[in-house]
């Protein structure tokens, strides 16, 4: 009986771990803060809505895009360069208290000292 329970437990763990596809989870295929900061320790990123957003000041289509500022969707609550400490509301460069807004374009806006800065969502594929 113990062997059967142990086998069921192992199968449950294996199928449960492979079946997870939660936002912000390593299994969803999207880059994590750890992935980004490992490649570029100076990256300007934040985590919101379980996704990593990266500053888009050098992305040509973002610079040319007209947009309307929408509702506030979050606020930076923590600043760190330690990728292991990233969670919802954490940023590598943006100061604590920075408000994040949605737009009618495919990017978010962070307002820092009255200046609007665009950030794009990093997704796989």
């Amino acid at each position: 009986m113990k062997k059967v329970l142990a086998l069921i437990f192992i199968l449950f763990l294996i199928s449960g771990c492979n079946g997870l596809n939660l936002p912000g989870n390593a299994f969803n295929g999207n880059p994590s803060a750890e992935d980004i900061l490992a490649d570029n320790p100076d990256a300007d990123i934040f985590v919101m809505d379980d996704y990593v957003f990266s500053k888009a000041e050098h992305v040509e289509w973002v610079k040319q895009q007209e947009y309307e500022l929408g509702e506030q969707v979050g606020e930076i609550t923590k600043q760190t360069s330690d990728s292991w400490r990233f969670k919802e509301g954490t940023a590598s460069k943006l100061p604590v208290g920075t408000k994040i807004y949605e737009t009618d374009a495919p990017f978010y806006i962070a307002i820092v000292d009255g200046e609007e800065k665009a950030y794009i969502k990093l997704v796989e594929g």
Side-chain angles (χ1 to χ4, degrees):
M1 182 65 169
K2 287 183 181 180
K3 288 182 181 179
V4 171
L5 288 175
L7 181 60
I8 291 172
F9 179 72
I10 290 170
L11 289 174
F12 176 76
L13 281 177
I14 292 171
S15 65
C17 290
N18 288 334
L20 288 177
N21 194 14
L22 302 173
N25 188 310
F27 297 107
N28 73 5
N30 293 325
S32 67
E34 182 180 346
D35 296 331
I36 302 305
L37 293 173
D39 288 340
N40 179 7
D42 199 39
D44 187 348
I45 62 172
F46 68 84
V47 174
M48 193 71 53
D49 299 331
D50 294 318
Y51 288 94
V52 175
F53 287 78
S54 179
K55 191 170 184 185
E57 68 182 1
H58 299 299
V59 178
E60 197 59 39
W61 69 265
V62 172
K63 292 191 303 187
Q64 296 174 359
Q65 181 78 41
E66 292 185 26
Y67 64 90
E68 291 286 326
L69 203 59
E71 298 289 319
Q72 180 180 334
V73 293
E75 183 173 324
I76 301 304
T77 57
K78 181 179 180 180
Q79 185 187 66
T80 184
S81 58
D82 181 359
S83 63
W84 291 97
R85 300 182 65 194
F86 263 75
K87 61 180 182 178
E88 186 75 9
T90 303
S92 61
K93 303 285 184 192
L94 292 172
V96 170
T98 300
K99 309 265 189 281
I100 308 297
Y101 295 87
E102 66 184 357
T103 68
D104 61 350
F107 50 83
Y108 281 178
I109 293 293
I111 299 184
V112 180
D113 297 327
E115 184 180 344
E116 296 181 5
K117 300 178 181 216
Y119 286 78
I120 55 175
K121 183 188 298 186
L122 302 179
V123 294
E124 185 67 30

